[in-house]
Amino acid sequence: MMLNFYPGPSKVYPEVRTYLTDAYDEGILGTPHRGEQFVQLSRATVGLLKRKLNIPQDYLIFYASSATECWEILIQSLTTKKSFHIYNGSFGEKWMEYAQKLRPASEGHAFDVNEAMPVDQLEISSDTELICFTQNETSNGTQVTPTTILNLHNRYRDTLIAVDATSSMAGLNLKLIKADIWFASVQKCFGLPSGLAIMCCSPRTIFRAKQIAELQHYNSLVSMYEKMLNYQTTTTPNVLDIYLLRRVLEDRPFIKSLEQSLVDRSQELYEFFSQFQDIQLLVENEEVRSKTVIALQASERLVDDIKKRALHHNIKLGNGYGNWQRNTFRVANFPAILDEEYEELKRFFLHYYA
Ligand SMILES: *Cc1c(COP(=O)(O)O)cnc(C)c1O
């Protein structure tokens, strides 16, 4: 069996194997997405998401097919002129680039991986319609802390704030109330196969979308909202993934206790990897280190050696990403990965690299 520490697509919960057969046996796979069986599944899934992940009752939940699709939906439906992007890595930057293709006036502020998101230094013009940032930057293993999010929220109360939480939602107990839009695809912390994303929106997001009334796309937010009033989608959705999501959520602990064990484990992993002479933690500032994606830096030659040797031992590590492609590797700290699997990973590193 391969041990999979890749930060997305990542290890799926082993129970998924049984859920897949159950989905087939329950006849959910061939059921129409306008019918009662689907609506019941969708309603149950939305209820579980809210309960298990601490999503405020009045937030609206939508299904999309990927986080990338969410980037585009939000720009299309919530901006007419421009958005503002605060980023320190590849995913945040890509979101800005897509935004600029649709709304060329969109702007950004880049910050350093070892710096907290610099809320005080931001110069966001008053005609900005959407502020965007990535809570957990998967490409370099950094995070934006709850305190920083609160500061941003307090400084820009009148502007909608959208958060890409693709590699932290369902892992961390995010305070959704401090921003308007949060989204994630399910192939990271949710421990599910790719092809589904979840987007959570505050009531004023919907109010704003209705004001703008952008209806030029199949997934315009207003159209999605109208369908979701009855737990439906504008297109035939990924019914199988929604089914798997419901089953996984039913079996999972509440996010608060899940977060605690994940945070403890991240602490152990950072401590563990601090002991190697030739391997450094990419992020030196402890405060901005991600809890769910550990980024490690070494010479290109050593990184190459580690990844190859690991594969030889049936251990899949995450490649570096973007600017850090060749001289870093990443280790996912996602809920579906067992403590025993990390013990095996540690034995591997102690044996070959201590
Ligand atoms: C993986 C990832 C994405 C892209 O997700 P898709 O579902 O492939 O579109 C976007 N943002 C972040 C932060 C990610 O980790």
Side-chain angles (χ1 to χ4, degrees), residues 110-151:
F111 62 104
D112 189 79
V113 284
N114 279 306
E115 187 191 355
M117 194 169 79
V119 175
D120 296 339
Q121 295 164 29
L122 299 174
E123 285 170 19
I124 300 182
S125 59
S126 58
D127 58 346
T128 297
E129 296 157 291
L130 188 68
I131 298 173
C132 305
F133 73 94
T134 307
Q135 191 278 322
N136 194 75
E137 180 51 77
T138 322
S139 66
N140 56 26
T142 57
Q143 68 154 351
V144 179
T145 63
T147 312
T148 303
I149 298 176
L150 180 64
N151 291 342

Side-chain angles (χ1 to χ4, degrees), residues 3 5 269 271-281 294-298 302-311 313-318 328-332 341-354:
L3 296 187
F5 299 99
L269 285 167
E271 270 169 36
F272 175 81
F273 281 110
S274 302
Q275 68 181 299
F276 299 93
Q277 202 133 61
D278 300 328
I279 302 172
Q280 281 85 43
L281 307 181
I294 319 285
L296 299 155
Q297 191 168 31
L302 185 59
V303 168
D304 199 51
D305 179 81
I306 291 171
K307 285 191 305 197
K308 282 202 183 116
R309 200 190 296 269
L311 265 189
H313 287 77
N314 283 327
I315 295 173
K316 185 153 64 173
L317 298 167
T328 66
F329 61 98
R330 295 172 301 158
V331 176
E341 300 180 286
Y342 289 97
E343 292 313 313
E344 201 164 326
L345 180 72
K346 288 178 186 172
R347 280 195 293 276
F348 168 80
F349 273 95
L350 286 176
H351 186 79
Y352 288 105
Y353 300 102

Side-chain angles (χ1 to χ4, degrees), residues 66-68 71 91 134 136 138 164 166-167 185 187-188:
S66 67
T68 307
W71 292 346
F91 287 105
T134 307
N136 194 75
T138 322
D164 180 343
T166 300
S167 52
S185 37
Q187 73 274 19
K188 315 249 166 121

